[in-house]
Amino acid sequence: MLFFNLSAFYFFYFAAVAVYIIFMPKVLHDIGYTPSQIGIVFALAPLMRFATPFLFLKHIKLNATIFKSSLLLSILSAIGFYFTLDNFYAFTLNNALLGICLSLILPYIEVIALKELGKDRYGKSRLYGSIGFMFIALVLAKFLSEPQIALHYYLCVTILIVIFSLLLLKHDVPHEDTISSKPFSVLEYWPFWLSLFFMQMSFGGFYNFFTIYETENGITLEMTSYLWSFGVICEIAMFYFQAPFFKNNLLGIIKISIFVTAIRWLLLYLFPDNLYITFFAQSIHAFSFGLYHSAVIIYLYKIYENKKLAQQFMYGVAYGLGGFVGALVAGWLYGENLFLYSALFALTSLLFVTIMKEDSTK
């Protein structure tokens, strides 16, 4: 039952992510938002992800009560989309509320998943998130005839996220929050945190503008949804078969994943209208997200004793600050050179991770 509940949580959580990152930018673009406004809207939620973990260093304890509050706020935020969509400022503030919720929900569940399933079964549960992402990518592309439809989908999956999150709370045992006498420090592994930041920054153009970028280069919206889905299929395969990789050095895996990600962005820059090459570039998602994400999660789980806070900061620094800056920069730089800049950000990430000592994973 635990495996089922975790898998269902991942399925619906990343179904919501698919609505948010694949279709919401297109919705905003179609109702008149400028690329710069789209960048700002989708930058504020990651910014909140970055800021929120700092409250938990000393002032607040991430417990079941805080977690339940974040679930309630996530539903209120989803409902708020209906009333704020046509107002840039109100919609932006609503995204900030959503960012606070996301900074708490997924890291909380990730610690439960790693503790209960271990690194060998974690990937097999997490792959259902990729299935949920792909399902929405395929289905919503066929039915998105007006903006309200995307909002309906988002609200429904958010309610299901809350249901399965509450079912998983019984596995949140006290010793998960145990904090050692050694204080949590980002500075102790600062090159790694900077690498996380630049890696996620490189995804700014992809997550916020890939759909727009491809459709403006002659690819239909339906075919673009197939491109998203193909990348996720490759990601699913990686999640299922990745366990043997983690018997090797984790930093080495992370370096390889970052390097091939840089190649991926270069291919999108050089061949934006070539379907064969774009499909190949999407296949690299198996490494640039599937393998990379799991390796980072496990690496942080091993090197930090305060595991919930480590996961919070991972989502805060990478998906939060990196996503925030990446979205802003992508909005400002949007054009034919967008993915060239993304490749440069990925290479910067690789530079920082090479500074890490190999024995830090032991």
Side-chain angles (χ1 to χ4, degrees):
M1 184 58 68
L2 169 66
F3 185 87
F4 173 81
N5 289 339
L6 277 168
S7 299
F9 167 83
Y10 283 127
F11 181 95
F12 293 115
Y13 185 92
F14 287 98
V17 171
V19 177
Y20 190 75
I21 69 173
I22 298 178
F23 298 104
M24 288 304 292
K26 180 66 174 174
V27 167
L28 297 183
H29 182 266
D30 290 346
I31 66 175
Y33 281 57
T34 66
S36 179
Q37 287 178 320
I38 294 172
I40 293 171
V41 165
F42 290 98
L44 196 54
L47 180 62
M48 293 300 101
R49 289 193 200 181
F50 169 69
T52 303
F54 288 95
L55 297 174
F56 293 84
L57 280 174
K58 294 181 179 180
H59 306 293
I60 305 174
K61 183 179 180 181
L62 180 54
N63 54 29
T65 301
I66 296 294
F67 181 68
K68 290 176 184 178
S69 299
S70 69
L71 294 175
L72 174 61
L73 284 174
S74 69
I75 293 180
L76 294 177
S77 178
I79 295 173
F81 282 162
Y82 289 92
F83 305 101
T84 62
L85 183 64
D86 295 320
N87 186 295
F88 167 71
Y89 298 102
F91 191 73
T92 301
L93 289 175
N94 197 54
N95 272 266
L97 175 62
L98 176 65
I100 294 172
C101 301
L102 296 177
S103 70
L104 302 175
I105 295 173
L106 186 58
Y108 200 97
I109 297 298
E110 290 276 47
V111 172
I112 294 175
L114 278 171
K115 175 189 171 295
E116 298 293 332
L117 300 181
K119 65 182 181 181
D120 291 337
R121 297 184 66 207
Y122 165 76
K124 293 182 179 179
S125 176
R126 177 60 180 75
L127 68 83
Y128 285 92
S130 303
I131 294 174
F133 187 99
M134 181 178 63
F135 176 80
I136 290 296
L138 291 173
V139 171
L140 193 51
K142 296 181 179 295
F143 296 101
L144 188 60
S145 57
E146 58 182 48
Q148 295 294 320
I149 293 176
L151 304 187
H152 298 335
Y153 273 72
Y154 190 81
L155 178 59
C156 289
V157 294
T158 298
I159 292 171
L160 290 166
I161 289 167
V162 171
I163 291 172
F164 284 99
S165 295
L166 293 173
L167 291 174
L168 289 166
L169 266 181
K170 66 181 179 180
H171 300 284
D172 181 38
V173 295
H175 69 264
E176 288 180 342
D177 288 324
T178 300
I179 302 175
S180 70
S181 58
K182 182 180 180 181
F184 182 90
S185 174
V186 172
L187 295 178
E188 184 178 3
Y189 300 102
W190 65 267
F192 187 73
W193 291 104
L194 283 175
S195 177
L196 288 179
F197 166 78
F198 279 103
M199 178 62 163
Q200 193 57 33
M201 186 178 171
S202 81
F203 275 85
F206 178 70
Y207 283 144
N208 297 287
F209 289 99
F210 179 72
T211 299
I212 299 171
Y213 180 80
E214 289 300 317
T215 53
E216 288 188 348
N217 278 282
I219 308 299
T220 66
L221 179 60
E222 185 173 0
M223 181 57 69
T224 303
S225 73
Y226 295 152
L227 286 167
W228 280 100
S229 300
F230 179 70
V232 176
I233 289 172
C234 297
E235 172 189 313
I236 291 170
M238 179 60 75
F239 275 128
Y240 189 84
F241 294 108
Q242 68 183 196
F245 285 100
F246 301 134
K247 296 178 181 178
N248 301 311
N249 183 273
L250 288 172
L251 281 179
I253 294 171
I254 292 170
K255 290 174 187 176
I256 292 171
S257 299
I258 296 172
F259 178 72
V260 296
T261 299
I263 294 175
R264 177 188 184 183
W265 302 147
L266 282 174
L267 290 174
L268 290 179
Y269 161 66
L270 294 171
F271 308 100
D273 57 351
N274 187 312
L275 269 179
Y276 296 104
I277 294 178
T278 305
F279 269 105
F280 175 75
Q282 284 297 87
S283 72
I284 298 176
H285 200 63
F287 291 88
S288 60
F289 180 78
L291 188 62
Y292 175 82
H293 175 81
S294 295
V296 167
I297 291 288
I298 296 170
Y299 180 75
L300 290 173
Y301 192 86
K302 292 178 68 174
I303 65 175
Y304 282 106
E305 295 185 40
N306 190 339
K307 303 184 186 306
K308 281 183 182 175
L309 195 54
Q311 300 304 326
Q312 272 191 278
F313 268 91
M314 192 281 289
Y315 284 100
V317 172
Y319 298 96
L321 185 60
F324 166 70
V325 176
L328 282 180
V329 171
W332 292 331
L333 299 177
Y334 180 75
E336 62 180 15
N337 294 327
L338 177 64
F339 286 102
L340 175 61
Y341 296 118
S342 295
L344 293 175
F345 297 145
L347 290 174
T348 304
S349 172
L350 181 60
L351 175 64
F352 278 111
V353 82
T354 55
I355 301 174
M356 294 292 296
K357 296 179 180 179
E358 294 292 336
D359 61 356
S360 60
T361 59
K362 295 180 181 179

